[in-house]
Amino acid sequence: MASITDFILKQVTAQTSGINIPSNLKDQVLGGLSNSIIGSLTQTAAQPSGIDQIKGLLTGKTSAAASPITGLATNLFANNIVKKLGLDANLGSTLSGLIPSIMGKLSGFLKDQDGDGDVDINDIIISLKGGNSQKKSSLLGAATSILGGILRK
């Protein structure tokens, strides 16, 4: 299984393929879309009840359109990419409009990865790392990586 980061980048690339993005800004825009989505997941994980929100989104129990994580990703993209790069309002709106669709593709991404019969924080960490049958060692590395990213923000 691919990591969630790889999955998001693939979705961003696929969904922007028909949009005319200035060639000198394309890498920044695609990276910005991906980073906004990952950033929204990371910021949400650091909040009370954030893991439950992520779990709801990734298991499909919460629709992407209704998820506050999607709203956060859209705001991050608008503030950190659209404004900073000075993108045309129509292009910015078109690109921001892709975020709910990309987030919707995450639905069902999270499954019981550790074989304990439920979807929990361990499964989220394993999914973020791309799944690994050597659970204990990968779990420690994933937790360290995620917590390091959260604490740096």
Side-chain angles (χ1 to χ4, degrees):
M1 171 161 93
S3 75
I4 196 168
T5 305
D6 295 337
F7 183 81
I8 289 169
L9 183 57
K10 181 179 175 183
Q11 291 303 315
V12 165
T13 302
Q15 293 204 28
T16 57
S17 66
I19 298 173
N20 188 14
I21 302 169
S23 59
N24 62 324
L25 299 176
K26 189 164 187 153
D27 288 342
Q28 290 174 292
V29 169
L30 297 183
L33 272 168
S34 296
N35 290 338
S36 296
I37 292 168
I38 294 297
S40 70
L41 291 166
T42 303
Q43 288 182 31
T44 300
Q47 298 174 2
S49 77
I51 296 299
D52 288 333
Q53 289 180 25
I54 293 171
K55 182 177 168 182
L57 177 67
L58 298 183
T59 59
K61 291 181 180 173
T62 303
S63 76
S67 174
I69 303 169
T70 301
L72 178 57
T74 302
N75 289 337
L76 289 171
F77 182 70
N79 293 325
N80 296 333
I81 302 302
V82 175
K83 285 182 184 176
K84 288 184 180 176
L85 294 179
L87 296 178
D88 172 85
N90 288 334
L91 178 58
S93 177
T94 298
L95 292 167
S96 293
L98 297 176
I99 293 174
S101 176
I102 294 167
M103 297 294 271
K105 299 283 185 184
L106 295 174
S107 176
F109 187 85
L110 186 61
K111 300 189 183 347
D112 180 16
Q113 298 288 329
D114 59 7
D116 65 357
D118 67 350
V119 176
D120 55 23
I121 184 68
N122 294 335
D123 300 307
I124 292 171
I125 292 170
I126 293 168
S127 291
L128 289 172
K129 290 296 280 185
N132 189 335
S133 60
Q134 297 178 4
K135 297 171 195 97
K136 292 194 180 197
S137 63
S138 70
L139 186 57
L140 178 60
T144 303
S145 174
I146 291 168
L147 290 174
I150 290 170
L151 296 174
R152 275 186 248 133
K153 295 213 177 236

